[in-house]
Amino acid sequence: MYQNDLLLKAARGEKNKHIPVWLMRQAGRVLPEYRFTRSKAKNFIEFVKNPDLAAEVTIQPVEILKVDAAIIFSDILVIPESMGLPYSMQEEKGPYFPKFIQHEQDIQHLRIAQTEDYVYVLNAIQLAKKQLQNRVPLIGFSGAPWTLFAYMTEGKGSKTFSTAKKWLYARPDLSHQILQKITNSIIHYLKDQIQAGADIVQLFDSWAGVLNKDLYNRFCIPYLKQICDAITEVPVIIFPKDGHFALESVQQLSCNVVSLDWTIEPSTAIHLLKGKCLQGNADPCLLYADDKTIEQETIKMLQAFSSVPYIANLGHGLYPDINKEKVKLFVDIVHSFERSNV
Ligand code: CP3
């Protein structure tokens, strides 16, 4: 069905001679082409809501970087907005919600996201699929329930997310109500993305790392389980960033792929995540190094994951000031690597 379906094969558990690669935030400010397209929109949100522009930047990394998958250009904050909490994106500062969940009565006002709330994402997926012409698969995504809860109760980015965690400790009952509403919205959203053409979906749990094993098992795993059990149409990737303590529980879920940040040793992850395809886990800052160092470290990573189904990626998104040529080099190194044990 695809000219290149290495990513879907790996996600389904195949080990092939060639390793697929894509990069989180590959559609982003590292590409001058992205910055040019972005300048046509009034602001970030208008950009996300314009299916023509969103599809255009979704395709760019496939053509420019030669990655083995496209990821739909959008943002995890589409769901909070769809549930009744609009946001703005402040230059250099990140997201800001003028209204966020502060009181018990705010929970009743939260809507379950409906197709018409985020139809622009579905239109962008359909356009991107058309333009991809089956060259590579398209990744759909959502924030994971806890990470969306974190933004919806904090109202902005944070280093500690202590306001969000206060809900978990002080009002666990209400926290579960909020997480359930978010989960229902995510399931609806991902099913719509799949129907529009997404071939695989990733759940970004970017703030897993501020929790611990007990909180993760109580407030994340039950909701991730509902999502994994509901999404049977395509493979599911979970990215519990900085959540080493989460990996044993994530292994029990029916997700196909677990994405890893750079703070975990590949051998530890392989041991904890038997039966899963692994994705990651280069430090994005490696791409500030000289070419020789990038080559040595990337090959070391590819070799470390050589015993399992594997998708090469970074351990988090590309930073805007990384040189595009270094990103290309990373992709080329993965493509010229051949596994000897298959
Ligand atoms: O290429 C891709 O990976 C697809 C597009 C994508 C974006 N955001 C575009 C974006 C994806 C998958 C996301 C996910 C996302 N958004 C996450 C999870 C991944 C992670 O980084 O942990 C989170 C936490 C967000 C929320 C968010 N969006 C923040 C905190 C920010 C500001 C920080 C920043 O990088 O500027 C954004 C903005 C954003 N989302 C940009 C892009 C390309 C940069 C804005 C711009 O172009 O001006």
Side-chain angles (χ1 to χ4, degrees):
M1 185 180 160
Y2 293 97
Q3 283 166 36
N4 171 353
D5 62 352
L6 273 179
L7 180 102
L8 295 176
K9 284 181 169 160
R12 296 204 187 275
E14 275 187 41
K15 272 185 359 183
N16 290 296
K17 206 181 185 118
H18 288 105
I19 294 171
V21 56
W22 68 281
L23 304 112
M24 289 186 253
R25 287 283 167 95
Q26 63 187 20
R29 289 166 291 186
V30 284
L31 295 181
E33 294 83 354
Y34 168 93
R35 295 199 294 267
F36 178 72
T37 309
R38 190 192 186 302
S39 69
K40 296 184 199 169
K42 205 167 78 213
N43 56 43
F44 179 74
I45 293 173
E46 296 293 313
F47 187 22
V48 165
K49 290 190 174 175
N50 182 321
D52 289 311
L53 298 183
E56 189 177 315
V57 295
T58 299
I59 309 301
Q60 283 172 355
V62 176
E63 294 181 341
I64 300 162
L65 303 171
K66 314 283 184 218
V67 284
D68 298 298
I71 177 163
I72 190 64
F73 179 75
S74 186
D75 202 86
I76 64 167
L77 303 176
V78 164
I79 285 300
E81 185 189 59
S82 298
M83 294 179 72
L85 302 177
Y87 67 101
S88 61
M89 193 62 76
Q90 303 185 316
E91 216 63 53
E92 312 283 326
K93 279 172 95 183
Y96 173 76
F97 292 82
K99 191 175 79 176
F100 56 101
I101 307 171
Q102 288 175 287
H103 311 288
E104 185 164 355
Q105 61 269 31
D106 297 337
I107 301 169
Q108 278 90 58
H109 294 128
L110 286 178
R111 297 198 312 264
I112 306 296
Q114 301 297 325
T115 307
E116 56 271 24
D117 297 317
Y118 49 69
V119 71
Y120 54 89
V121 178
L122 309 180
N123 293 336
I125 290 176
Q126 283 163 346
L127 278 176
K129 283 293 283 188
K130 239 183 248 154
Q131 292 167 24
L132 279 171
Q133 296 181 308
N134 291 333
R135 278 173 288 178
V136 293
L138 179 68
I139 306 169
F141 71 88
S142 170
W146 155 249
T147 289
L148 295 185
F149 174 103
Y151 284 106
M152 291 166 71
T153 51
E154 196 84 34
K156 55 184 180 344
S158 162
K159 283 206 173 82
T160 57
F161 279 96
S162 51
T163 307
K165 287 172 71 181
K166 181 175 172 184
W167 279 87
L168 304 186
Y169 281 107
R171 293 308 306 263
D173 51 335
L174 298 180
S175 298
H176 282 298
Q177 283 180 25
I178 302 168
L179 286 162
Q180 189 59 58
K181 281 193 159 183
I182 296 173
T183 301
N184 295 349
S185 299
I186 293 173
I187 292 173
H188 201 170
Y189 183 46
L190 290 178
K191 292 227 174 232
D192 275 347
Q193 289 189 39
I194 294 162
Q195 212 183 0
D199 300 289
I200 178 166
V201 292
Q202 174 152 329
L203 286 164
F204 286 89
D205 216 350
S206 305
W207 296 105
V210 298
L211 302 178
N212 61 23
K213 188 166 187 148
D214 178 56
L215 291 174
Y216 202 83
N217 283 341
R218 286 165 59 209
F219 294 103
C220 299
I221 288 291
Y223 301 100
L224 291 170
K225 181 171 187 325
Q226 287 182 38
I227 298 169
C228 291
D229 290 349
I231 305 297
T232 51
E233 303 88 337
V234 301
V236 175
I237 309 171
I238 296 188
F239 177 38
K241 184 166 186 290
D242 296 327
H244 298 196
F245 50 79
L247 298 182
E248 266 179 304
S249 304
V250 168
Q251 196 274 338
Q252 305 281 317
L253 298 171
S254 63
C255 64
N256 307 70
V257 187
V258 181
S259 199
L260 305 164
D261 65 84
W262 61 90
T263 64
I264 189 138
E265 274 303 304
S267 58
T268 310
I270 290 167
H271 176 72
L272 291 173
L273 291 160
K274 291 209 172 68
K276 302 295 186 198
C277 170
L278 302 183
Q279 174 175 277
N281 71 340
D283 185 342
C285 294
L286 168 64
L287 302 182
Y288 295 126
D290 58 75
D291 291 4
K292 195 154 178 283
T293 307
I294 294 176
E295 181 164 6
Q296 279 168 351
E297 292 298 313
T298 304
I299 288 175
K300 204 160 92 187
M301 171 182 83
L302 299 173
Q303 283 169 341
F305 287 105
S306 67
S307 65
V308 293
Y310 172 60
I311 300 163
N313 203 320
L314 304 175
H316 200 198
L318 284 162
Y319 302 124
D321 65 342
I322 291 173
N323 179 338
K324 167 180 156 183
E325 296 308 318
K326 301 282 184 178
V327 185
K328 270 189 171 160
L329 175 67
F330 179 79
V331 172
D332 290 346
I333 295 164
V334 179
H335 282 159
S336 36
F337 185 84
E338 288 188 10
R339 280 171 148 170
S340 52
N341 56 347
V342 291

